[in-house]
């Protein structure tokens, strides 16, 4: 644990199958949705938002089948419209997530409704879900650009109507951690419902804002695997879970050893590549090339890694990459693992070759190292030196 701030309880609401699929040029097939949902369920994710049931017959079928086959709570999204809510209820989900715009810009230019009309529709929607005996979540969409007094007003109204959850969405990703924390705290103080946050990454603050939500009383964060979603995406499942587990020392109950596998499943299904430098699941997340860093990590991983998160915790492996910045420690390690028994001089010679080869922007592979070793006459470990 690296933080002295206590948070908890912490729950994870995954929206990969709903907001994640809203990534431009992304569409999951029925089978892909089922596979992702099964993986999330197996890992112990607390809520899976499976989709927007009213959207199409295929969407309704996928949500319905996931709800029937999944042990965890499955959620369906609905606007504050009777047909949407009925479709969500008919799909068999255990939670219905209703939302309405609350910022003036969205009310005027998207919904074409007044504040009073939005509040009335929100209350009616919550009552419709609760009358059906289903858990309800309400979202004041664009909460972080909503007049604070009106935000409090609508939160109090839907709380009186019986909503179980209030979700605070940073819909356009404009909130900064300090201001977002104040918004969350104000909502927590205005409701007896449980509070959830939904953060977007337009300025790279999604994971930080999700964690700031926890620090200010939210019990749950909405995330998506690999951070996919509208525009720049959502708070990343893997980043939020591992920050909570490793930095704050909170046991989410999620099997984190499956995180890398889950990331690859979603990467393939979404056709959105995971950047090499992506936290937690990028191929460089636990990779070292710099000689100083590699030497330190070989001696003690805590020297140049977080000290609170290991590759094993997320089902990954540490890698020592060879290239322009490689030092002798990494080269020796690669040679020994390949079965060679190099002298110090031979290690320095091979290191020189690796650096020169890597300086040409060429990837240095294990095969290259073995070739360099053979060319330099480095003997195998089983060979006897005379």
């Amino acid at each position: 644990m690296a933080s002295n701030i206590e948070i908890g309880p912490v729950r994870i609401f995954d929206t990969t199958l709903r907001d994640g699929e809203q990534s431009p040029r992304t569409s999951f097939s029925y089978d892909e949705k089922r596979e992702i949902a099964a993986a999330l369920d197996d890992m112990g994710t607390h809520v899976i938002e499976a989709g927007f049931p009213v959207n199409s017959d295929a969407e309704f079928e996928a949500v319905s089948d996931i709800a029937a086959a999944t042990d965890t709570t499955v959620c369906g999204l609905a606007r504050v419209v009777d047909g949407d809510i009925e479709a969500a209820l008919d799909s068999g989900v255990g939670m219905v997530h209703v939302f309405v715009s609350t910022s003036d810009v969205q009310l005027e230019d998207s919904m074409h409704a007044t504040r009073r009309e939005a509040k009335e529709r929100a209350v009616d929607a919550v009552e419709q879900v609760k009358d059906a005996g289903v858990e309800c979540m309400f979202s004041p969409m664009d909460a972080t650009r909503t007049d604070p007094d009106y935000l409090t007003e609508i939160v109090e109204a839907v709380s009186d109507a019986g909503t179980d959850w209030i979700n605070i969405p940073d819909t356009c990703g404009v909130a900064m951690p300090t201001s977002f924390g104040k918004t969350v705290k104000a909502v927590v103080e205005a409701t007896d419902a449980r509070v959830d946050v939904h953060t977007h990454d337009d300025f790279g603050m999604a994971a930080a804002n999700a964690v700031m939500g926890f620090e200010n009383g939210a019990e749950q964060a909405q995330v998506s695997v690999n951070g996919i979603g509208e525009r720049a995406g959502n708070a990343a499942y893997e980043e939020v879970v591992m920050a909570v587990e490793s930095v704050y020392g909170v046991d989410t109950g999620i099997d984190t050893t499956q995180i890398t596998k889950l990331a690859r499943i979603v990467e393939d299904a979404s056709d959105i590549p995971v950047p090499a430098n992506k936290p937690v699941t990028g191929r460089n997340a636990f990779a070292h090339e710099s000689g100083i860093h590699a030497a330190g990590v070989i001696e003690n991983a805590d020297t140049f890694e977080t000290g609170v998160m290991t590759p094993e915790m997320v089902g990954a492996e540490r890698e020592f990459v060879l290239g322009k910045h490689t030092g002798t420690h990494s080269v020796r390690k690669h040679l020994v693992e390949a079965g060679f028994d190099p002298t110090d001089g031979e290690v320095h010679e091979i290191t020189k070759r690796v650096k020169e080869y890597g300086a040409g922007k060429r990837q240095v592979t294990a095969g290259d190292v073995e070739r360099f070793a053979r060319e330099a006459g480095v003997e195998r470990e089983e060979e006897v030196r005379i």
Side-chain angles (χ1 to χ4, degrees):
M1 179 175 175
S3 174
N4 58 7
I5 299 175
E6 293 188 6
I7 63 173
V10 168
R11 290 165 50 93
I12 299 298
F13 177 118
D14 183 84
T15 187
T16 305
L17 299 179
R18 200 277 299 171
D19 200 338
E21 193 185 22
Q22 289 176 206
S23 300
R25 295 173 289 278
T26 294
S27 177
F28 297 135
S29 69
Y30 172 87
D31 289 339
E32 288 168 340
K33 280 206 166 197
R34 292 294 301 271
E35 181 183 17
I36 293 168
L40 290 166
D41 186 27
D42 187 54
M43 291 171 66
T45 308
H46 302 94
V47 181
I48 299 171
E49 189 167 46
F52 194 7
V54 79
N55 189 50
S56 67
D57 290 343
E59 183 81 345
F60 180 91
E61 180 185 9
V63 173
S64 181
D65 289 352
I66 289 169
T70 305
D71 291 329
T72 194
T73 299
V74 173
C75 178
L77 185 70
R79 294 166 297 183
V80 287
V81 175
D82 288 348
D84 283 28
I85 296 169
E86 289 167 4
L89 292 171
D90 289 346
S91 72
V93 295
M95 175 189 289
V96 175
H97 177 190
V98 296
F99 69 97
V100 68
S101 294
T102 54
S103 67
D104 288 335
V105 64
Q106 289 194 1
L107 283 171
E108 293 170 8
D109 297 328
S110 179
M111 276 196 66
H112 306 292
T114 65
R115 289 183 177 184
R116 180 180 60 80
E117 290 170 338
K119 184 174 71 172
E120 289 175 352
R121 293 182 197 177
V123 168
D124 289 345
V126 169
E127 289 177 344
Q128 185 177 349
V129 174
K130 294 306 297 177
D131 287 346
V134 174
E135 192 172 8
C136 182
M137 173 179 284
F138 171 75
S139 287
M141 187 161 69
D142 209 14
T144 52
R145 298 196 299 174
T146 296
D147 175 76
D149 291 337
Y150 179 59
L151 180 62
T152 297
E153 181 183 336
I154 198 167
V155 163
E156 290 176 342
V158 294
S159 298
D160 290 342
T163 191
D164 300 284
W165 289 91
I166 300 286
N167 170 49
I168 308 171
D170 181 26
T171 304
C172 294
V174 297
M176 296 294 111
T178 300
S179 62
F180 188 67
K182 290 178 180 178
T183 299
V184 173
K185 186 176 182 180
V187 171
V188 169
E189 292 173 350
T191 184
D192 292 329
R194 303 169 81 177
V195 175
D196 169 275
V197 296
H198 178 109
T199 57
H200 277 270
D201 211 30
D202 295 74
F203 289 99
M205 298 292 166
N209 282 335
V211 172
M212 187 59 76
F214 289 135
E215 286 196 2
N216 285 275
E219 295 183 37
Q220 184 169 271
Q222 298 192 7
V223 298
S224 69
V225 180
N226 300 337
I228 65 173
E230 293 276 9
R231 303 181 314 279
N234 295 267
Y237 184 109
E238 58 279 4
E239 294 174 25
V240 174
V241 170
M242 292 314 299
V244 167
E245 291 259 355
S246 301
V247 179
Y248 291 83
V250 174
D251 182 4
T252 62
I254 289 172
D255 180 3
T256 65
T257 64
Q258 297 189 54
I259 280 180
T260 298
K261 177 183 176 182
L262 174 66
R264 301 299 175 252
I265 292 172
V266 173
E267 180 179 32
D268 290 342
S270 65
D271 200 28
I272 299 175
V274 174
N277 64 335
K278 174 75 171 61
V280 185
T281 57
R283 71 176 187 273
N284 288 351
F286 299 100
H288 305 274
E289 180 178 330
S290 164
I292 294 173
H293 284 230
V297 171
I298 289 171
E299 184 71 23
N300 176 0
D302 289 357
T303 54
F304 288 103
E305 288 184 3
T306 65
V308 291
M309 178 175 66
T310 66
E312 292 78 15
M313 290 170 68
V314 298
E317 293 182 357
R318 184 175 292 108
E319 182 182 7
F320 294 95
V321 178
L322 298 174
K324 176 181 178 181
H325 308 289
T326 295
T328 56
H329 289 76
S330 287
V331 171
R332 183 182 296 277
K333 179 178 175 62
H334 276 80
L335 288 170
V336 170
E337 289 178 350
F340 291 94
D341 183 22
T343 64
D344 289 347
E346 288 169 339
V347 170
H348 282 285
E349 172 61 25
I350 301 305
T351 301
K352 179 182 177 182
R353 295 194 184 196
V354 166
K355 285 176 174 289
E356 291 174 349
Y357 194 79
K361 295 190 177 182
R362 291 172 291 191
Q363 182 178 357
V364 183
T365 66
D368 292 324
V369 176
E370 292 192 38
R371 176 167 56 84
F372 296 153
R374 290 193 302 270
E375 291 172 353
V378 182
E379 295 181 349
R380 293 282 182 176
E381 196 169 299
E382 65 272 12
E383 296 174 350
V384 179
R385 292 183 182 272
I386 299 175

